[in-house]
C-alpha cells in the first residue's frame, strides 16, 4: 500500500493544527480505503477560450510547448482540439465556444470578476485523472460528499461522455474529471465528431517548423507544474480538497514574505517525475485584502484572485538542462521565442547555484494564462528559489495592474471592452 504521509516535508510556512490534523487523517484514510491506488496521474488538462481564439492559441501553444495537434472533436456548441505530446504526459484539451452568447456554469464562474468577465468563456477548467475503475472511484468520492455532474449535465455542457466530473471546487473553481483507462490503452474522449481541421493543422505545422528553425524543438519538455491562485483564507482547504480528489501528497509550503504570499506544492504519490504527472501548486496571499489598509503589505496574489477569480495562473514547462550556442537552454529558448514577438515579464532569473532558473511569459491574450519556463541544474528537486518567486509574483502583479488600468480606462471612455 502506498503511504501518502511517508514523503519528506519541505518548506518553512507554518500551517494550522486544523490542516496538519486533517492532512494526516485524510491521507491515511485515502490510502487505507484503496483510493490512493485507484487514482493515478493527470491524464489531461482542459482550457476553454472565447470564439475565434482557439486556432491562434494552438499556434502559440505549439510554438511554446512540445504539444502536437492531434484532432478536433466537434459538438453542437464547441470545438474541442486535442493536443498531445505522447502517452506519458497529459493531453491538453483546448475548447472553443462557437457562439459568444453561450451561457453556462463555467462562464458564470468568470462573470463576477471584473477582469475575468472581459473574456467570459476563457478559463482553465481543470484536470482529468486516470483511474482503473470509474464506478468505484465515484462511489468512494460520493461517500466523501463530493458532488458530480450527472450524465445529463455532462451532455449539456458538452464534456466527454466517458468522464465522471466533479462539480467546480468552491475554493479553486477548477473541476476534476476521472477517465477510466487501463494502462497501455490510448486516451479517448467520447465527444462529437472527430476530424483533423486543415486550418488548425496549418498553424500547428508552421509552429513546429519554426521550433526547428529556432533550434528549440528538443529543448522544451512537458508540463512541470500547474499553479492555481486562491483567496488567502482558502489556502489550507484548497490543498486538502485537491488531495482528497487525487492521489497527490503534500510536498510543502514556502512563505514568500516579500510578496505577502505563500507557494504550496503537492505532487503525485505514484510518479516522482513531474513529466509523468505535473505538480499542482497553490498560491495564496498571507493576509486578506481588507487588512491591507492596516498592514500596507504588497498583495499581488489576492489582487489577481479578486480580478480574475480563483483560477489557474500559469502552466510551467521544464527546459532540458544543458547549453545551446554557448547559452543555458532556458536563455536560448526565451530569446528565440521573444524574437518572434512574444513578451516575457522579466529577464530569466535564478542561477545554477540556486538550483534553477525561471521566467514568466506575459499572459496569453487567448486564455489569460502565463507560461513559465524552468530549467533545473544537476537534478535539483525544488520548484523555485524564494527570491525568484518573489520577483516572479511581483512582475505578474505589475502586468495585471496594467491590464486593470486598461480595462478601467476603456470602461471610462465608454469603449466596448
Ligand atoms: Fe511556477
Amino acid at each position: 500500500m502506498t503511504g501518502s504521509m511517508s514523503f519528506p516535508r519541505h518548506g518553512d510556512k507554518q500551517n494550522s493544527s486544523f490542516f496538519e490534523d486533517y492532512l494526516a487523517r485524510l491521507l491515511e484514510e485515502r490510502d487505507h480505503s484503496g483510493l490512493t491506488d485507484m487514482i493515478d496521474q493527470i491524464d489531461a488538462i482542459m482550457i476553454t477560450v472565447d470564439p475565434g481564439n482557439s486556432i491562434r492559441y494552438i499556434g502559440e501553444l505549439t510554438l511554446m510547448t512540445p504539444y502536437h495537434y492531434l484532432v478536433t472533436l466537434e459538438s453542437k456548441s464547441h470545438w474541442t482540439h486535442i493536443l498531445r505530446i505522447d502517452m506519458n504526459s497529459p493531453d491538453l484539451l483546448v475548447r472553443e465556444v462557437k457562439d459568444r452568447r453561450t451561457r453556462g456554469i463555467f462562464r458564470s464562474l468568470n462573470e463576477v470578476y471584473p477582469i475575468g468577465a472581459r473574456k467570459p468563456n476563457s478559463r482553465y477548467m481543470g484536470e482529468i485523472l486516470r483511474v482503473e475503475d470509474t464506478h468505484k472511484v465515484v462511489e468512494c468520492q460520493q461517500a466523501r460528499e463530493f458532488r458530480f455532474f450527472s450524465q445529463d449535465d455532462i451532455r449539456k455542457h458538452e464534456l466527454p461522455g466517458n468522464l465522471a466530473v466533479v462539480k467546480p471546487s468552491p475554493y479553486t473553481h477548477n473541476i476534476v474529471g476521472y477517465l477510466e483507462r487501463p494502462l497501455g490503452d490510448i486516451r479517448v474522449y467520447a465527444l462529437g465528431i472527430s476530424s483533423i481541421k486543415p486550418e488548425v493543422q496549418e498553424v500547428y505545422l508552421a509552429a513546429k517548423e519554426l521550433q526547428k528553425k529556432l533550434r528549440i524543438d528538443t529543448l522544451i519538455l512537458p508540463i512541470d507544474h500547474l499553479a492555481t491562485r486562491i483567496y488567502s483564507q482558502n489556502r489550507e482547504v484548497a490543498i486538502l480538497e485537491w488531495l482528497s480528489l487525487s492521489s497527490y501528497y503534500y510536498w510543502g509550503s514556502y512563505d514568500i514574505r516579500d510578496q505577502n504570499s505563500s507557494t504550496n506544492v503537492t505532487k503525485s504519490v505514484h510518479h516522482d517525475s513531474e513529466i509523468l504527472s505535473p505538480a499542482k501548486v497553490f498560491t495564496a496571499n498571507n493576509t486578506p485584502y481588507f487588512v491591507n489598509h492596516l498592514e500596507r503589505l504588497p498583495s499581488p496574489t489576492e489582487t489577481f484572485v479578486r480580478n480574475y477569480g480563483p483560477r489557474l495562473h500559469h502552466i510551467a514547462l521544464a527546459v532540458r538542462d544543458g547549453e545551446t550556442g554557448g547559452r543555458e537552454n532556458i536563455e536560448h529558448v526565451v530569446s528565440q521565442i521573444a524574437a518572434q514577438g512574444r513578451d516575457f515579464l522579466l529577464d530569466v532569473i535564478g542561477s545554477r547555484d540556486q538550483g534553477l532558473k525561471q521566467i514568466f511569459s506575459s499572459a496569453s491574450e487567448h486564455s489569460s494564462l502565463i507560461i513559465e519556463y524552468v530549467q533545473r541544474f544537476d537534478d535539483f528537486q525544488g520548484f523555485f528559489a524564494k527570491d525568484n518567486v518573489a520577483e516572479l509574483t511581483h512582475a505578474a502583479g505589475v502586468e495585471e495592474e496594467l491590464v486593470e488600468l486598461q480595462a478601467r480606462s476603456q470602461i471610462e471612455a465608454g469603449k466596448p471592452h
Side-chain angles (χ1 to χ4, degrees):
M1 191 173 67
T2 313
S4 301
M5 284 298 287
S6 62
F7 296 87
R9 178 75 71 87
H10 301 261
D12 57 7
K13 170 90 179 166
Q14 289 296 308
N15 298 309
S16 70
S17 58
F18 161 86
F19 179 84
E20 296 295 347
D21 287 355
Y22 279 109
L23 176 70
R25 287 179 62 187
L26 287 165
L27 294 193
E28 273 156 20
E29 197 269 348
R30 192 186 75 182
D31 291 350
H32 211 71
S33 66
L35 201 54
T36 303
D37 287 331
M38 279 192 258
I39 307 175
D40 207 320
Q41 77 270 30
I42 297 179
D43 229 4
I45 61 173
M46 291 178 284
I47 299 169
T48 303
V49 295
D50 275 291
N53 284 272
S54 66
I55 296 179
R56 278 178 298 145
Y57 190 38
I58 288 169
E60 195 175 286
L61 285 169
T62 49
L63 175 66
M64 295 182 76
T65 75
Y67 278 95
H68 298 274
Y69 168 59
L70 197 68
V71 76
T72 299
L73 310 175
E74 181 167 5
S75 51
K76 195 165 152 263
S77 27
H78 297 91
W79 288 285
T80 303
H81 309 287
I82 313 292
L83 308 186
R84 180 169 294 165
I85 300 169
D86 56 32
M87 290 301 290
N88 294 322
S89 302
D91 285 351
L92 217 161
L93 275 51
V94 178
R95 247 158 68 109
E96 175 176 324
V97 176
K98 290 181 185 173
D99 185 339
R100 189 165 296 286
R101 291 162 299 183
T102 304
R103 305 209 69 84
I105 187 166
F106 299 108
R107 178 180 175 138
S108 67
L109 292 172
N110 282 342
E111 283 189 326
V112 287
Y113 298 96
I115 302 189
R118 299 177 72 213
K119 294 189 176 112
N121 294 293
S122 296
R123 68 177 293 116
Y124 176 83
M125 297 173 73
E127 300 84 32
I128 297 173
L129 304 175
R130 186 180 78 81
V131 298
E132 293 280 344
D133 185 335
T134 310
H135 181 76
K136 267 199 201 158
V137 170
V138 171
E139 206 174 61
C140 271
Q141 296 297 35
Q142 280 176 332
R144 286 167 176 70
E145 306 208 18
F146 284 108
R147 293 181 179 172
F148 285 77
F149 284 118
S150 68
Q151 272 308 305
D152 215 40
D153 289 333
I154 288 186
R155 255 193 308 277
K156 217 173 62 200
H157 297 313
E158 297 181 18
L159 291 164
N162 55 335
L163 296 184
V165 183
V166 178
K167 291 197 170 177
S169 156
Y171 314 117
T172 66
H173 288 185
N174 291 339
I175 54 172
V176 165
Y178 296 112
L179 171 68
E180 185 170 305
R181 179 174 75 83
L183 202 59
D185 280 17
I186 198 95
R187 294 184 198 112
V188 223
Y189 306 98
L191 180 68
I193 301 158
S194 95
S195 69
I196 293 170
K197 295 260 170 217
E199 59 277 29
V200 185
Q201 185 75 359
E202 198 184 315
V203 296
Y204 153 63
L205 291 175
K208 288 299 158 196
E209 201 50 50
L210 186 55
Q211 273 191 336
K212 276 210 188 84
K213 204 177 109 199
L214 301 174
R215 295 187 301 140
I216 59 172
D217 54 320
T218 59
L219 303 183
I220 310 171
L221 303 176
I223 298 177
D224 181 86
H225 62 268
L226 298 162
T228 300
R229 289 190 164 187
I230 47 179
Y231 278 115
S232 62
Q233 76 274 17
N234 289 336
R235 183 182 76 89
E236 295 186 335
V237 280
I239 300 168
L240 294 175
E241 184 197 40
W242 161 250
L243 297 178
S244 303
L245 286 165
S246 67
S247 49
Y248 274 45
Y249 68 91
Y250 177 58
W251 186 82
S253 300
Y254 281 91
D255 197 356
I256 312 298
R257 236 165 253 134
D258 263 17
Q259 293 299 311
N260 186 24
S261 79
S262 69
T263 297
N264 308 271
V265 181
T266 69
K267 282 184 50 144
S268 171
V269 161
H270 303 301
H271 304 280
D272 191 36
S273 164
E274 287 78 31
I275 283 173
L276 302 175
S277 196
K280 279 265 291 178
V281 173
F282 299 85
T283 307
N285 230 66
N286 289 340
T287 52
Y289 71 91
F290 54 82
V291 304
N292 279 352
H293 69 289
L294 304 173
E295 302 294 342
R296 302 273 172 223
L297 292 169
S299 287
T301 308
E302 189 90 343
T303 305
F304 173 88
V305 180
R306 297 184 71 205
N307 284 335
Y308 287 90
R311 56 159 69 190
L312 194 81
H313 177 259
H314 64 264
I315 297 177
L317 295 140
V319 173
R320 194 183 298 285
D321 191 11
E323 293 188 359
T324 302
R327 285 184 298 187
E328 274 150 1
N329 283 342
I330 189 167
E331 304 275 3
H332 172 76
V333 165
V334 168
S335 76
Q336 294 289 65
I337 292 176
Q340 308 308 305
R342 183 64 205 249
D343 290 334
F344 286 84
L345 295 186
L346 66 180
D347 293 333
V348 174
I349 54 170
S351 64
R352 184 175 283 276
D353 284 349
Q354 286 174 307
L356 78 176
K357 282 194 168 189
Q358 292 166 286
I359 191 166
F360 271 174
S361 76
S362 59
S364 165
E365 59 173 304
H366 310 297
S367 65
S368 301
L369 291 169
I370 283 172
I371 295 278
E372 175 188 328
Y373 289 119
V374 51
Q375 181 178 345
R376 294 195 181 85
F377 300 101
D378 310 322
D379 290 330
F380 179 72
Q381 292 292 311
F383 288 84
F384 40 76
K386 283 181 80 156
D387 297 350
N388 288 7
V389 179
E391 264 191 76
L392 291 165
T393 310
H394 175 72
V398 170
E399 193 198 43
E400 281 138 27
E401 274 167 30
L402 286 174
V403 173
E404 199 184 342
L405 278 175
Q406 273 168 359
R408 266 203 223 131
S409 64
Q410 281 176 1
I411 292 165
E412 277 156 21
K415 285 183 206 156
H417 56 280

mmCIF file of all heavy atoms in Angstrom, residues 327-357:
data_model
loop_
_atom_site.group_PDB
_atom_site.id
_atom_site.type_symbol
_atom_site.label_atom_id
_atom_site.label_comp_id
_atom_site.label_asym_id
_atom_site.label_seq_id
_atom_site.Cartn_x
_atom_site.Cartn_y
_atom_site.Cartn_z
ATOM 1 N N ARG A 327 24.834 29.345 -24.591
ATOM 2 C CA ARG A 327 23.949 29.888 -23.527
ATOM 3 C C ARG A 327 23.200 28.745 -22.866
ATOM 4 O O ARG A 327 22.939 27.716 -23.516
ATOM 5 C CB ARG A 327 22.908 30.831 -24.144
ATOM 6 C CG ARG A 327 23.462 32.170 -24.537
ATOM 7 C CD ARG A 327 22.361 33.069 -25.055
ATOM 8 N NE ARG A 327 21.716 32.516 -26.263
ATOM 9 C CZ ARG A 327 20.818 33.154 -26.981
ATOM 10 N NH1 ARG A 327 20.423 34.360 -26.610
ATOM 11 N NH2 ARG A 327 20.289 32.620 -28.056
ATOM 12 N N GLU A 328 22.813 28.956 -21.610
ATOM 13 C CA GLU A 328 21.963 27.953 -20.974
ATOM 14 C C GLU A 328 20.683 27.823 -21.796
ATOM 15 O O GLU A 328 20.189 28.810 -22.344
ATOM 16 C CB GLU A 328 21.648 28.380 -19.535
ATOM 17 C CG GLU A 328 22.734 27.924 -18.588
ATOM 18 C CD GLU A 328 22.915 28.816 -17.389
ATOM 19 O OE1 GLU A 328 22.172 29.810 -17.272
ATOM 20 O OE2 GLU A 328 23.800 28.511 -16.566
ATOM 21 N N ASN A 329 20.149 26.597 -21.847
ATOM 22 C CA ASN A 329 18.997 26.347 -22.726
ATOM 23 C C ASN A 329 17.836 27.307 -22.486
ATOM 24 O O ASN A 329 17.188 27.751 -23.424
ATOM 25 C CB ASN A 329 18.521 24.900 -22.556
ATOM 26 C CG ASN A 329 19.436 23.921 -23.275
ATOM 27 O OD1 ASN A 329 20.217 24.334 -24.153
ATOM 28 N ND2 ASN A 329 19.367 22.662 -22.911
ATOM 29 N N ILE A 330 17.554 27.619 -21.229
ATOM 30 C CA ILE A 330 16.403 28.488 -20.945
ATOM 31 C C ILE A 330 16.611 29.873 -21.568
ATOM 32 O O ILE A 330 15.684 30.460 -22.126
ATOM 33 C CB ILE A 330 16.083 28.558 -19.422
ATOM 34 C CG1 ILE A 330 14.750 29.289 -19.193
ATOM 35 C CG2 ILE A 330 17.201 29.177 -18.614
ATOM 36 C CD1 ILE A 330 14.182 29.156 -17.780
ATOM 37 N N GLU A 331 17.841 30.371 -21.509
ATOM 38 C CA GLU A 331 18.146 31.685 -22.097
ATOM 39 C C GLU A 331 17.938 31.622 -23.614
ATOM 40 O O GLU A 331 17.380 32.542 -24.221
ATOM 41 C CB GLU A 331 19.600 32.099 -21.807
ATOM 42 C CG GLU A 331 19.985 32.117 -20.336
ATOM 43 C CD GLU A 331 19.638 33.429 -19.631
ATOM 44 O OE1 GLU A 331 19.047 34.312 -20.273
ATOM 45 O OE2 GLU A 331 19.957 33.528 -18.422
ATOM 46 N N HIS A 332 18.392 30.521 -24.198
ATOM 47 C CA HIS A 332 18.265 30.337 -25.642
ATOM 48 C C HIS A 332 16.781 30.265 -26.044
ATOM 49 O O HIS A 332 16.347 30.977 -26.957
ATOM 50 C CB HIS A 332 19.003 29.050 -26.056
ATOM 51 C CG HIS A 332 18.788 28.662 -27.484
ATOM 52 N ND1 HIS A 332 19.420 29.303 -28.535
ATOM 53 C CD2 HIS A 332 17.976 27.716 -28.042
ATOM 54 C CE1 HIS A 332 19.013 28.760 -29.676
ATOM 55 N NE2 HIS A 332 18.135 27.806 -29.402
ATOM 56 N N VAL A 333 16.010 29.448 -25.343
ATOM 57 C CA VAL A 333 14.585 29.275 -25.667
ATOM 58 C C VAL A 333 13.854 30.617 -25.576
ATOM 59 O O VAL A 333 13.107 31.012 -26.473
ATOM 60 C CB VAL A 333 13.932 28.228 -24.717
ATOM 61 C CG1 VAL A 333 12.420 28.285 -24.768
ATOM 62 C CG2 VAL A 333 14.428 26.824 -25.051
ATOM 63 N N VAL A 334 14.114 31.328 -24.469
ATOM 64 C CA VAL A 334 13.388 32.583 -24.237
ATOM 65 C C VAL A 334 13.776 33.637 -25.279
ATOM 66 O O VAL A 334 12.912 34.321 -25.833
ATOM 67 C CB VAL A 334 13.633 33.083 -22.793
ATOM 68 C CG1 VAL A 334 13.144 34.502 -22.604
ATOM 69 C CG2 VAL A 334 12.943 32.141 -21.801
ATOM 70 N N SER A 335 15.056 33.738 -25.598
ATOM 71 C CA SER A 335 15.429 34.785 -26.554
ATOM 72 C C SER A 335 14.895 34.447 -27.943
ATOM 73 O O SER A 335 14.475 35.340 -28.686
ATOM 74 C CB SER A 335 16.938 35.048 -26.544
ATOM 75 O OG SER A 335 17.588 34.017 -27.218
ATOM 76 N N GLN A 336 14.860 33.158 -28.297
ATOM 77 C CA GLN A 336 14.340 32.771 -29.617
ATOM 78 C C GLN A 336 12.833 33.041 -29.712
ATOM 79 O O GLN A 336 12.342 33.510 -30.736
ATOM 80 C CB GLN A 336 14.603 31.275 -29.892
ATOM 81 C CG GLN A 336 16.065 30.897 -30.021
ATOM 82 C CD GLN A 336 16.690 31.421 -31.303
ATOM 83 O OE1 GLN A 336 16.797 32.629 -31.494
ATOM 84 N NE2 GLN A 336 17.094 30.528 -32.181
ATOM 85 N N ILE A 337 12.106 32.754 -28.637
ATOM 86 C CA ILE A 337 10.651 32.975 -28.672
ATOM 87 C C ILE A 337 10.346 34.473 -28.596
ATOM 88 O O ILE A 337 9.470 34.981 -29.296
ATOM 89 C CB ILE A 337 9.946 32.174 -27.556
ATOM 90 C CG1 ILE A 337 10.054 30.682 -27.871
ATOM 91 C CG2 ILE A 337 8.478 32.585 -27.404
ATOM 92 C CD1 ILE A 337 9.504 29.754 -26.819
ATOM 93 N N ALA A 338 11.115 35.184 -27.773
ATOM 94 C CA ALA A 338 10.904 36.633 -27.659
ATOM 95 C C ALA A 338 11.146 37.314 -29.010
ATOM 96 O O ALA A 338 10.441 38.261 -29.370
ATOM 97 C CB ALA A 338 11.832 37.209 -26.589
ATOM 98 N N ALA A 339 12.097 36.792 -29.785
ATOM 99 C CA ALA A 339 12.391 37.379 -31.105
ATOM 100 C C ALA A 339 11.210 37.219 -32.069
ATOM 101 O O ALA A 339 11.129 37.916 -33.080
ATOM 102 C CB ALA A 339 13.646 36.732 -31.690
ATOM 103 N N GLN A 340 10.273 36.321 -31.751
ATOM 104 C CA GLN A 340 9.059 36.149 -32.578
ATOM 105 C C GLN A 340 7.952 37.103 -32.135
ATOM 106 O O GLN A 340 6.830 37.013 -32.612
ATOM 107 C CB GLN A 340 8.532 34.705 -32.490
ATOM 108 C CG GLN A 340 9.559 33.629 -32.780
ATOM 109 C CD GLN A 340 10.271 33.876 -34.092
ATOM 110 O OE1 GLN A 340 9.620 34.020 -35.126
ATOM 111 N NE2 GLN A 340 11.596 33.946 -34.047
ATOM 112 N N GLY A 341 8.262 37.967 -31.180
ATOM 113 C CA GLY A 341 7.281 38.973 -30.765
ATOM 114 C C GLY A 341 6.539 38.625 -29.494
ATOM 115 O O GLY A 341 5.652 39.364 -29.065
ATOM 116 N N ARG A 342 6.875 37.493 -28.878
ATOM 117 C CA ARG A 342 6.193 37.124 -27.630
ATOM 118 C C ARG A 342 6.886 37.807 -26.442
ATOM 119 O O ARG A 342 8.106 37.746 -26.334
ATOM 120 C CB ARG A 342 6.243 35.595 -27.474
ATOM 121 C CG ARG A 342 5.511 35.079 -26.268
ATOM 122 C CD ARG A 342 4.025 35.363 -26.383
ATOM 123 N NE ARG A 342 3.395 35.421 -25.087
ATOM 124 C CZ ARG A 342 2.529 34.514 -24.649
ATOM 125 N NH1 ARG A 342 2.187 33.513 -25.403
ATOM 126 N NH2 ARG A 342 1.995 34.640 -23.462
ATOM 127 N N ASP A 343 6.099 38.463 -25.597
ATOM 128 C CA ASP A 343 6.696 39.183 -24.464
ATOM 129 C C ASP A 343 6.912 38.284 -23.257
ATOM 130 O O ASP A 343 6.145 37.362 -23.010
ATOM 131 C CB ASP A 343 5.770 40.319 -24.021
ATOM 132 C CG ASP A 343 5.738 41.432 -25.042
ATOM 133 O OD1 ASP A 343 6.734 41.579 -25.783
ATOM 134 O OD2 ASP A 343 4.709 42.132 -25.122
ATOM 135 N N PHE A 344 7.956 38.623 -22.519
ATOM 136 C CA PHE A 344 8.184 37.976 -21.214
ATOM 137 C C PHE A 344 8.153 39.082 -20.166
ATOM 138 O O PHE A 344 8.483 40.239 -20.464
ATOM 139 C CB PHE A 344 9.518 37.220 -21.224
ATOM 140 C CG PHE A 344 9.434 35.959 -22.033
ATOM 141 C CD1 PHE A 344 9.611 35.988 -23.422
ATOM 142 C CD2 PHE A 344 9.113 34.754 -21.438
ATOM 143 C CE1 PHE A 344 9.487 34.833 -24.180
ATOM 144 C CE2 PHE A 344 8.987 33.587 -22.196
ATOM 145 C CZ PHE A 344 9.180 33.627 -23.573
ATOM 146 N N LEU A 345 7.759 38.722 -18.955
ATOM 147 C CA LEU A 345 7.529 39.756 -17.943
ATOM 148 C C LEU A 345 8.818 40.310 -17.351
ATOM 149 O O LEU A 345 8.821 41.369 -16.753
ATOM 150 C CB LEU A 345 6.671 39.198 -16.803
ATOM 151 C CG LEU A 345 5.257 38.798 -17.199
ATOM 152 C CD1 LEU A 345 4.462 38.396 -15.982
ATOM 153 C CD2 LEU A 345 4.559 39.951 -17.919
ATOM 154 N N LEU A 346 9.888 39.556 -17.441
ATOM 155 C CA LEU A 346 11.154 39.998 -16.865
ATOM 156 C C LEU A 346 12.243 39.167 -17.511
ATOM 157 O O LEU A 346 11.965 38.365 -18.397
ATOM 158 C CB LEU A 346 11.141 39.856 -15.338
ATOM 159 C CG LEU A 346 11.072 38.472 -14.695
ATOM 160 C CD1 LEU A 346 11.068 38.618 -13.180
ATOM 161 C CD2 LEU A 346 9.897 37.656 -15.110
ATOM 162 N N ASP A 347 13.483 39.358 -17.100
ATOM 163 C CA ASP A 347 14.559 38.520 -17.620
ATOM 164 C C ASP A 347 14.512 37.170 -16.918
ATOM 165 O O ASP A 347 13.846 37.015 -15.901
ATOM 166 C CB ASP A 347 15.917 39.184 -17.361
ATOM 167 C CG ASP A 347 16.065 40.459 -18.174
ATOM 168 O OD1 ASP A 347 15.433 40.560 -19.247
ATOM 169 O OD2 ASP A 347 16.798 41.365 -17.718
ATOM 170 N N VAL A 348 15.267 36.222 -17.469
ATOM 171 C CA VAL A 348 15.403 34.932 -16.792
ATOM 172 C C VAL A 348 16.075 35.193 -15.446
ATOM 173 O O VAL A 348 17.056 35.920 -15.365
ATOM 174 C CB VAL A 348 16.267 33.970 -17.646
ATOM 175 C CG1 VAL A 348 16.533 32.681 -16.874
ATOM 176 C CG2 VAL A 348 15.588 33.653 -18.977
ATOM 177 N N ILE A 349 15.499 34.628 -14.380
ATOM 178 C CA ILE A 349 16.070 34.857 -13.047
ATOM 179 C C ILE A 349 16.489 33.539 -12.402
ATOM 180 O O ILE A 349 16.078 32.469 -12.823
ATOM 181 C CB ILE A 349 15.087 35.617 -12.118
ATOM 182 C CG1 ILE A 349 13.727 34.886 -12.068
ATOM 183 C CG2 ILE A 349 14.908 37.052 -12.560
ATOM 184 C CD1 ILE A 349 12.806 35.439 -11.011
ATOM 185 N N GLY A 350 17.301 33.650 -11.351
ATOM 186 C CA GLY A 350 17.838 32.453 -10.687
ATOM 187 C C GLY A 350 19.247 32.174 -11.190
ATOM 188 O O GLY A 350 19.792 32.929 -11.992
ATOM 189 N N SER A 351 19.824 31.085 -10.709
ATOM 190 C CA SER A 351 21.199 30.764 -11.082
ATOM 191 C C SER A 351 21.467 29.287 -10.860
ATOM 192 O O SER A 351 20.679 28.594 -10.202
ATOM 193 C CB SER A 351 22.165 31.573 -10.218
ATOM 194 O OG SER A 351 22.011 31.158 -8.869
ATOM 195 N N ARG A 352 22.568 28.839 -11.414
ATOM 196 C CA ARG A 352 22.991 27.454 -11.209
ATOM 197 C C ARG A 352 23.160 27.161 -9.710
ATOM 198 O O ARG A 352 22.759 26.114 -9.219
ATOM 199 C CB ARG A 352 24.309 27.239 -11.955
ATOM 200 C CG ARG A 352 24.821 25.821 -11.919
ATOM 201 C CD ARG A 352 26.054 25.678 -12.788
ATOM 202 N NE ARG A 352 25.692 25.621 -14.202
ATOM 203 C CZ ARG A 352 25.319 24.508 -14.832
ATOM 204 N NH1 ARG A 352 25.286 23.363 -14.180
ATOM 205 N NH2 ARG A 352 25.005 24.529 -16.105
ATOM 206 N N ASP A 353 23.708 28.146 -8.980
ATOM 207 C CA ASP A 353 23.913 27.953 -7.536
ATOM 208 C C ASP A 353 22.591 27.762 -6.798
ATOM 209 O O ASP A 353 22.508 27.006 -5.839
ATOM 210 C CB ASP A 353 24.616 29.177 -6.920
ATOM 211 C CG ASP A 353 26.088 29.165 -7.269
ATOM 212 O OD1 ASP A 353 26.552 28.117 -7.776
ATOM 213 O OD2 ASP A 353 26.748 30.203 -7.058
ATOM 214 N N GLN A 354 21.567 28.493 -7.239
ATOM 215 C CA GLN A 354 20.260 28.362 -6.573
ATOM 216 C C GLN A 354 19.544 27.081 -6.985
ATOM 217 O O GLN A 354 18.525 26.729 -6.414
ATOM 218 C CB GLN A 354 19.377 29.562 -6.919
ATOM 219 C CG GLN A 354 19.791 30.849 -6.208
ATOM 220 C CD GLN A 354 18.969 32.024 -6.694
ATOM 221 O OE1 GLN A 354 18.880 32.272 -7.906
ATOM 222 N NE2 GLN A 354 18.365 32.754 -5.786
ATOM 223 N N GLY A 355 20.060 26.419 -8.036
ATOM 224 C CA GLY A 355 19.484 25.139 -8.456
ATOM 225 C C GLY A 355 18.601 25.244 -9.682
ATOM 226 O O GLY A 355 18.351 24.252 -10.353
ATOM 227 N N LEU A 356 18.101 26.454 -9.969
ATOM 228 C CA LEU A 356 17.218 26.570 -11.133
ATOM 229 C C LEU A 356 17.140 28.005 -11.637
ATOM 230 O O LEU A 356 17.490 28.952 -10.932
ATOM 231 C CB LEU A 356 15.818 26.030 -10.827
ATOM 232 C CG LEU A 356 14.820 26.856 -10.027
ATOM 233 C CD1 LEU A 356 13.495 26.151 -9.952
ATOM 234 C CD2 LEU A 356 15.307 27.214 -8.656
ATOM 235 N N LYS A 357 16.679 28.107 -12.898
ATOM 236 C CA LYS A 357 16.388 29.415 -13.498
ATOM 237 C C LYS A 357 14.942 29.390 -13.976
ATOM 238 O O LYS A 357 14.459 28.353 -14.436
ATOM 239 C CB LYS A 357 17.320 29.681 -14.675
ATOM 240 C CG LYS A 357 18.718 30.107 -14.266
ATOM 241 C CD LYS A 357 19.467 30.680 -15.461
ATOM 242 C CE LYS A 357 20.744 31.378 -15.010
ATOM 243 N NZ LYS A 357 21.370 32.105 -16.113
#
